[in-house]
Amino acid sequence: MQKIGVFVCHCGTNIAGTVNIDEVVENAKHEPGVKYVAEYPYMCSEAGQSMVQKAIDEHDLSGIVISACSPRMHETTFRRAAARTKLNPFMLEMANIREQCSWVHKDKEEATNKAHALTRAAIAKVHHNTPLFPGESPVTKRALVIGGGIAGVSCALDIAEAGFVVDIVESTPSIGGKMAQLDKTFPTLDCSACILTPKMVDAQFHENINIHTYSEIESVEGFVGDFTITIRKKARSVDMKKCTGCGACYDKCPIKKIPGEFDEGLGMRTAIYTPFAQAIPNVPVIDREHCLKFKTGKCGLCETVCAPDAIDFEQEDELITEKYGAVIIATGITPISLDKFGEYAYTSPDVITSLEFERMTNAAGPTKGELIRISDKKKPKSITFIQCVGSRDVAVRSKTYCSKICCMYTAKHAMLVKDKYPDIEVNVFYIDVRTPGKNFDEFYRRAVEEYGVNYIKGQVGKVVDNGDSLWIQAVDMLDNKQIKTKTDLIVLATAIEPVKSVRNIAGMLSASIDTNNFMTEAHPKLKPVESPTAGVFLAGACQGPKDIPETVAGAGATAAKVIGLLAKDKLITNPCIADLDPYYCNGCSACEKVCPYGAISYEDTEINDHGKKAIRRIAVINKALCQGCGACVVTCPSGAMDLLGFSNRQITAEVDAICR
Amino acid sequence: MIQKQMQERAKQMLSLGEVTCVLGWKKGDFSTNPQPAVFESEKDLEDLVYDKYCAANLSKYLVELTKKEGKVLVFLKPCDTYSFNQLLKENLIKKERSYIIGIGCEGNMQVDDDMQEIGLLEKCQTCTKTAHMVFDELIGEELTVRQGDDPFEGVLNLEQMSSDERYGFWREELSKCIRCNACRNVCPACNCRKCVFDNNKYDTAQKVNASSFEEQMFHIIRAYHVAGRCTDCGECSRVCPQLIDLHLLNRKFIKDINEFYGEFQAGADTDTPSPLTDFNIDTDPEPGSVHKRG
């Protein structure tokens, strides 16, 4: 028979305000096996914890129940307190009478009854608890960063500086990401390339950083501290070791009319190409879909002109498998598709997205920084910016969230136009202008007050391309009137969304994503750079819309967390893992198929079933891999699989106690 | 009659040593209840019968038979091959220790207490399984025809009841149960080493026994345990001495699985993942929508 102690916490008035503590205490005294009951205003305080420790020793308690907050909040705290006594820390259960009770109920009587039921359930469970002992697992002191944008590169540099090896995997031919495409950055208007490219070079030459561009994650196995990840290096068709980056190949390439991804389709690239001049690595890639040699077998001009003989048409994808202790997802964002936004006439060459505008205004861009209408190559006399295109809208085609960066970059674009061409009329249609951030509102006011940018509160309903100009129908909400006006160039502040591939990556890493495909944090405030999956961290805009300062600051925080993990030699593992009763296993493999961690295999094992020896095919659990998710337990038709700390018997006891 | 052909072929294989025993049916106490039997000699095989009463699904017997050295020749009707595949998928049969002769089937008859034929068995009236899913050779497969009735009609009727009516229906049906365990023993999906209802390690047995309505708990838990694995072979209803339409519980699961996750037939092959133990984030419905539909 257990000797159970029950400790009821008031949590100030958090619990005591809605729950009658005395009644919970009184009821707990009459539960079977309960030897000691106490209450205290703040059980998690030093005084509260010593009270628990003292009671365990004095009353020789064999199990304890803490009726307080969520186990996510303080289970570890009280387990540590129990560990300071002779009690095994796993002989402890939390009854959550705060988050699941006092915080969600108003009626004191009902809340008290529920607090009693929850306490009763925890007492019933602790009767079936058994001492559990955590194991240890090793830490591979190497990190993998998925995504080579500013988030991934800064995070990798910070981790590498701390002395750990970092690999960056980037799906495009160069690192740099979206920031590399930008012209100037708000709110300082400093040149994006001037601040990004040195960082890219630092990463390239850092002794602890390996960069795999044109590469993707193929598969992931393992768990925190011990991931085994296979990276697919797509065939570049150019030998990275031999190539000097001279550029003779793309100068000679006869296929010159492929819309370039880096220039958002405004500029053309060749079939063998580097995305931009400062690309890292400065090694071209052959786009096999467009290359004549791959399409027809003829050509091979690049091979002829390549002095170091680096062109390799036979090159195949290469798979690299490496072990990592931590993985950082930094896959970033991309503008949404405007296919379903017919009213903005995006099909017109003179209606462009903000990212396309960035390329156009960039001195290294397709127009050499000259602002023109794509259709007739003329300088526009007026430009109209439309904000919130696809953001802050509940329609299915749109995003419900605010894309956050658009207000600021639109103010930046407006200023850049006015700065270069003071004669151009600039109008901005907006819902709200949102400028929280250091020097942000001042920046926006400069656009309005110093540069005379005309801000109109209202949305554009229709854009029609008339050939020589664009017609706009809109509403001015402050003047409460319809606007019909002409403009020469329209820039759409297009909503941003996570890159599509993040779903697949999140799936492989068992990291959770929200309905918008943004990565979910383990806790929005207390664990803002960790995913709920141990060892998987987040950086940059894959978590939600972020600007560059936020991204870099966040990436630093991510790096600190990763360094904290990699600095450890061993990790303590959770002992609440799957537990097989080999007598009852019938070898059906159902558990093996549902295990998301690959922790279950099947082996022919000799079973001594009450003196009768037989070789049976039974499940074998890899204790290091098992994360205790319980999928196998509910799948096993025979009940042979159970979960330590959350056994079928414990759960049934809890349910029975609640229903009593 | 293909019985003769089956006997000849079985004798031949036994005599050539290609198989060590033959799993088929032999005459029972009456002409209308042939029983599953294992034949080990050519002489024994004289007793092998195959007629319209040979309804018993032989697949489950292979679980024990293929544990032994040697090779078993087994006769399987089209519907029985689904159970074979499902057991193979669950690693309970050793394929290499079995030789399947798929045999044609014109549907099995049921008889009343006076041994008078009262028509086809329910499972044959609603038969959709007209082809052998796995076999090494076939005998008389041309005999097989589809019988026609909609297998889900009974489930549809249940779904149209109010929840009270439905509860009443099952209370009444299941109160006939005498817990003889025939359904469990015959069911190819009931292949646990020790049934949770017999196992003291878990509380299921005690809880069920302590319930005022033990039979209801037993059948509903059993239906859950075989969900996604039940091939709808119909053996549970066939063997029930109390004539309870147990297959309705399983078919409700099958119908729901088809509707939520797309058509799925357990035992059609050995590698399609069962929808209940597989999750596709892009195509599977949210659990909430399943709950809402009831």
Side-chain angles (χ1 to χ4, degrees):
Chain A
M1 189 70 184
Q2 296 250 26
K3 288 191 260 182
I4 297 168
V6 180
F7 302 87
V8 187
C9 178
H10 298 217
C11 196
T13 55
N14 270 309
I15 295 170
T18 325
V19 170
N20 184 335
I21 301 284
D22 291 342
E23 219 172 285
V24 176
V25 167
E26 196 50 37
N27 281 327
K29 282 182 185 162
H30 302 293
E31 288 298 313
V34 173
K35 283 285 168 293
Y36 179 81
V37 186
E39 36 91 15
Y40 193 72
Y42 291 102
M43 203 60 83
C44 60
S45 66
E46 199 278 328
Q49 289 189 47
S50 5
M51 187 171 130
V52 174
Q53 284 168 237
K54 215 170 125 204
I56 293 170
D57 289 335
E58 277 182 10
H59 299 273
D60 196 24
L61 299 177
S62 62
I64 56 171
V65 168
I66 312 278
S67 287
C69 51
S70 162
R72 284 184 73 115
M73 190 74 205
H74 275 315
E75 188 173 60
T76 320
T77 312
F78 290 108
R79 282 212 172 127
R80 279 200 212 106
R84 291 192 284 270
T85 70
K86 61 185 171 42
L87 194 68
N88 180 286
F90 291 88
M91 296 304 289
L92 172 151
E93 289 299 327
M94 299 282 293
N96 181 355
I97 61 168
R98 193 177 76 169
E99 286 86 340
Q100 290 179 354
C101 185
S102 67
W103 278 1
V104 288
H105 295 295
K106 287 197 175 88
D107 185 284
K108 196 158 186 174
E109 194 184 330
E110 278 178 1
T112 305
N113 286 341
K114 187 168 171 184
H116 177 215
L118 292 168
T119 306
R120 202 162 65 204
I123 296 168
K125 186 183 178 194
V126 95
H127 270 286
H128 299 286
N129 279 26
T130 48
L132 300 176
F133 303 92
E136 281 180 345
S137 67
V139 180
T140 305
K141 294 179 180 290
R142 187 181 185 119
L144 175 70
V145 176
I146 305 172
I150 182 61
V153 168
S154 331
C155 190
L157 279 168
D158 290 348
I159 298 168
E161 274 301 297
F164 299 104
V165 178
V166 190
D167 295 353
I168 301 176
V169 169
E170 165 60 42
S171 63
T172 71
S174 169
I175 58 168
K178 285 285 175 289
M179 186 175 169
Q181 291 177 272
L182 306 184
D183 182 33
K184 302 278 194 297
T185 58
F186 62 78
T188 43
L189 289 181
D190 45 351
C191 157
S192 185
C194 315
I195 52 178
L196 174 69
T197 42
K199 272 200 169 254
M200 289 162 59
V201 175
D202 286 353
Q204 184 184 22
F205 291 113
H206 202 294
E207 57 176 7
N208 283 340
I209 296 181
N210 307 297
I211 298 173
H212 301 296
T213 52
Y214 212 48
S215 301
E216 280 163 8
I217 304 298
E218 181 79 3
S219 66
V220 178
E221 279 169 41
F223 52 94
V224 55
D226 195 20
F227 292 103
T228 303
I229 296 178
T230 303
I231 298 161
R232 176 178 289 273
K233 283 192 88 132
K234 290 181 282 184
R236 216 176 174 100
S237 314
V238 176
D239 189 325
M240 304 242 334
K241 289 198 189 83
K242 290 182 187 164
C243 175
T244 58
C246 70
C249 53
Y250 46 79
D251 287 344
K252 281 284 181 295
C253 181
I255 306 294
K256 295 187 190 298
K257 294 280 181 202
I258 307 164
E261 295 82 0
F262 187 77
D263 281 335
E264 292 294 309
L266 295 182
M268 298 298 164
R269 65 159 170 85
T270 43
I272 182 165
Y273 71 105
T274 45
F276 55 104
Q278 301 81 18
I280 284 179
N282 184 20
V283 176
V285 173
I286 295 182
D287 169 0
R288 292 187 173 186
E289 199 189 318
H290 291 100
C291 171
L292 268 185
K293 177 80 178 175
F294 282 96
K295 277 166 74 179
T296 65
K298 293 172 189 140
C299 187
L301 262 178
C302 50
E303 194 180 21
T304 325
V305 296
C306 181
D309 197 20
I311 306 292
D312 180 2
F313 295 118
E314 308 292 309
Q315 203 179 61
E316 285 176 7
D317 289 4
E318 187 189 347
L319 293 178
I320 309 167
T321 301
E322 192 68 61
K323 277 184 162 296
Y324 298 98
V327 182
I328 299 99
I329 302 179
T331 43
I333 48 88
T334 191
I336 63 167
S337 155
L338 291 175
D339 290 348
K340 294 195 175 118
F341 292 81
E343 72 268 35
Y344 295 119
Y346 179 59
T347 44
S348 160
D350 301 323
V351 180
I352 60 175
T353 66
S354 300
L355 196 53
E356 288 164 19
F357 181 87
E358 290 282 353
R359 295 311 303 148
M360 200 191 271
T361 188
N362 191 307
T367 60
K368 307 270 183 290
E370 196 186 339
L371 201 54
I372 54 163
R373 282 160 53 86
I374 301 285
S375 61
D376 50 18
K377 311 282 183 256
K378 285 185 190 151
K379 190 183 114 182
K381 292 189 192 68
S382 94
I383 299 183
T384 302
F385 291 88
I386 304 175
Q387 296 223 65
C388 290
V389 173
S391 300
R392 301 178 65 197
D393 183 2
V394 291
V396 177
R397 62 178 189 171
S398 299
K399 303 294 173 188
T400 49
Y401 52 84
C402 167
S403 293
K404 196 173 183 177
I405 53 177
C406 328
C407 284
M408 286 302 290
Y409 70 57
T410 299
K412 175 189 78 178
H413 290 168
M415 266 192 270
L416 290 176
V417 173
K418 279 286 188 190
D419 204 41
K420 237 188 243 177
Y421 312 98
D423 55 325
I424 295 184
E425 179 192 332
V426 179
N427 293 312
V428 179
F429 283 94
Y430 70 98
I431 304 179
D432 299 297
V433 176
R434 297 181 162 182
T435 54
K438 190 176 178 180
N439 297 327
F440 279 16
D441 204 57
E442 294 87 331
F443 184 78
Y444 154 64
R445 286 217 312 271
R446 247 170 75 204
V448 179
E449 291 161 11
E450 288 178 31
Y451 286 89
V453 177
N454 183 24
Y455 270 74
I456 305 160
K457 186 174 175 75
Q459 271 295 60
V460 171
K462 186 81 185 158
V463 174
V464 178
D465 187 351
N466 243 357
D468 56 349
S469 62
L470 299 154
W471 276 95
I472 292 180
Q473 188 170 18
V475 61
D476 183 334
M477 285 169 64
L478 296 182
D479 276 357
N480 196 19
K481 65 175 187 200
Q482 290 278 327
I483 301 174
K484 280 183 190 166
T485 180
K486 277 202 296 188
T487 189
D488 295 328
L489 182 65
I490 291 180
V491 183
L492 305 175
T494 312
I496 52 173
E497 65 178 356
V499 293
K500 293 272 181 292
S501 59
V502 75
R503 274 182 85 85
N504 188 25
I505 291 167
M508 283 194 276
L509 287 161
S510 310
S512 45
I513 46 180
D514 67 18
T515 50
N516 290 313
N517 287 350
F518 284 116
M519 300 301 305
T520 312
E521 297 86 359
H523 189 288
K525 299 175 189 78
L526 301 180
K527 289 187 169 183
V529 295
E530 292 101 317
S531 87
T533 305
V536 178
F537 298 84
L538 311 173
C542 69
Q543 294 177 264
K546 279 185 187 172
D547 60 30
I548 296 165
E550 250 185 302
T551 296
V552 175
T558 310
K561 293 290 176 184
V562 172
I563 293 163
L565 168 65
L566 297 186
K568 292 191 176 91
D569 291 324
K570 283 200 181 330
L571 296 174
I572 301 294
T573 57
N574 174 14
C576 297
I577 57 169
D579 182 40
L580 179 83
D581 190 329
Y583 297 121
Y584 301 125
C585 176
N586 76 351
C588 76
S589 281
C591 55
E592 184 184 19
K593 286 175 194 146
V594 298
C595 179
Y597 305 100
I600 301 175
S601 56
Y602 272 77
E603 279 172 24
D604 285 335
T605 310
E606 190 183 75
I607 300 292
N608 185 342
D609 192 352
H610 303 85
K612 212 175 136 187
K613 284 184 187 169
I615 302 285
R616 288 189 204 157
R617 179 180 186 276
I618 62 160
V620 177
I621 301 156
N622 181 331
K623 289 183 180 179
L625 292 180
C626 177
Q627 300 294 299
C629 73
C632 55
V633 182
V634 290
T635 304
C636 179
S638 310
M641 200 62 95
D642 215 343
L643 189 60
L644 296 175
F646 297 91
S647 67
N648 287 324
R649 183 161 268 174
Q650 285 173 304
I651 306 284
T652 316
E654 282 185 284
V655 175
D656 281 349
I658 288 174
C659 298
R660 204 162 70 215
Chain B
M1 276 292 269
I2 61 172
Q3 178 177 314
K4 198 79 197 151
Q5 281 173 270
M6 289 161 59
Q7 277 171 335
E8 292 309 315
R9 181 67 180 124
K11 282 181 188 172
Q12 187 189 20
M13 288 195 76
L14 262 185
S15 67
L16 292 171
E18 289 170 345
V19 293
T20 38
C21 64
V22 178
L23 177 56
W25 301 266
K26 70 174 182 190
K27 191 174 159 296
D29 298 334
F30 305 98
S31 61
T32 54
N33 70 338
Q35 297 163 359
V38 177
F39 305 91
E40 287 179 331
S41 69
E42 290 179 60
K43 188 170 160 290
D44 288 352
L45 276 167
E46 290 299 325
D47 295 334
L48 184 138
V49 294
Y50 181 62
D51 57 28
K52 59 188 173 181
Y53 303 115
C54 289
N57 178 354
L58 301 178
S59 296
K60 191 177 182 182
Y61 296 89
L62 292 169
V63 174
E64 286 306 315
L65 285 174
T66 61
K67 278 182 187 162
K68 298 174 192 155
E69 293 296 325
K71 196 163 188 170
V72 188
L73 164 59
V74 62
F75 292 107
L76 296 180
K77 303 187 296 299
C79 58
D80 304 339
T81 60
Y82 288 77
S83 307
F84 182 94
N85 265 346
Q86 184 61 29
L87 286 163
L88 204 59
K89 190 175 177 179
E90 296 176 18
N91 301 294
L92 292 160
I93 292 180
K94 290 197 175 66
K95 178 100 190 296
E96 66 280 10
R97 288 188 184 169
S98 61
Y99 185 87
I100 303 165
I101 297 186
I103 47 173
C105 171
E106 293 174 291
N108 301 125
M109 304 304 287
Q110 59 178 325
V111 293
D112 63 12
D113 291 347
D114 302 323
M115 302 295 159
Q116 297 303 308
E117 275 185 20
I118 51 169
L120 284 169
L121 285 166
E122 197 282 340
K123 69 170 178 175
C124 303
Q125 282 173 35
T126 58
C127 175
T128 55
K129 304 182 178 78
T130 51
H132 293 85
M133 292 294 109
V134 55
F135 59 86
D136 293 298
E137 64 181 86
L138 294 170
I139 294 180
E141 78 273 23
E142 67 283 354
L143 296 175
T144 309
V145 283
R146 190 190 185 285
Q147 302 302 335
D149 289 2
D150 177 10
F152 295 113
E153 201 181 312
V155 179
L156 276 168
N157 291 340
L158 278 177
E159 285 175 347
Q160 275 150 18
M161 290 181 185
S162 71
S163 58
D164 284 345
E165 284 170 345
R166 196 157 50 233
Y167 187 60
F169 169 83
W170 282 116
R171 291 287 287 202
E172 176 143 353
E173 279 298 301
L174 297 177
S175 66
K176 295 183 210 159
C177 172
I178 54 172
R179 273 304 298 276
C180 69
N181 288 337
C183 51
R184 185 179 84 183
N185 293 345
V186 80
C187 176
C190 265
N191 51 43
C192 290
R193 296 203 69 83
K194 193 156 195 171
C195 177
V196 289
F197 293 101
D198 297 341
N199 191 337
N200 289 334
K201 184 163 184 267
Y202 304 106
D203 299 333
T204 317
Q206 289 92 320
K207 290 177 75 70
V208 169
N209 292 344
S211 161
S212 62
F213 204 28
E214 171 196 346
E215 299 79 13
Q216 179 173 292
M217 301 257 282
F218 172 77
H219 287 291
I220 289 171
I221 293 176
R222 206 184 80 79
Y224 269 96
H225 279 200
V226 302
R229 306 189 293 128
C230 169
T231 65
D232 196 19
C233 77
E235 285 289 85
C236 45
S237 291
R238 182 183 70 86
V239 300
C240 179
Q242 298 294 88
L243 307 176
I244 305 170
D245 285 336
L246 291 167
H247 65 275
L248 285 174
L249 285 172
N250 305 324
R251 255 183 225 168
K252 167 66 177 159
F253 275 106
I254 292 170
K255 182 168 175 287
D256 280 354
I257 288 171
N258 286 343
E259 287 169 9
F260 287 132
Y261 308 108
E263 290 287 321
F264 174 74
Q265 170 63 54
D269 58 52
T270 55
D271 40 28
T272 306
S274 164
L276 294 186
T277 52
D278 188 54
F279 186 68
N280 185 323
I281 200 165
D282 294 316
T283 56
D284 282 355
E286 290 290 322
S289 67
V290 176
H291 172 73
K292 259 183 241 148
R293 211 206 66 161

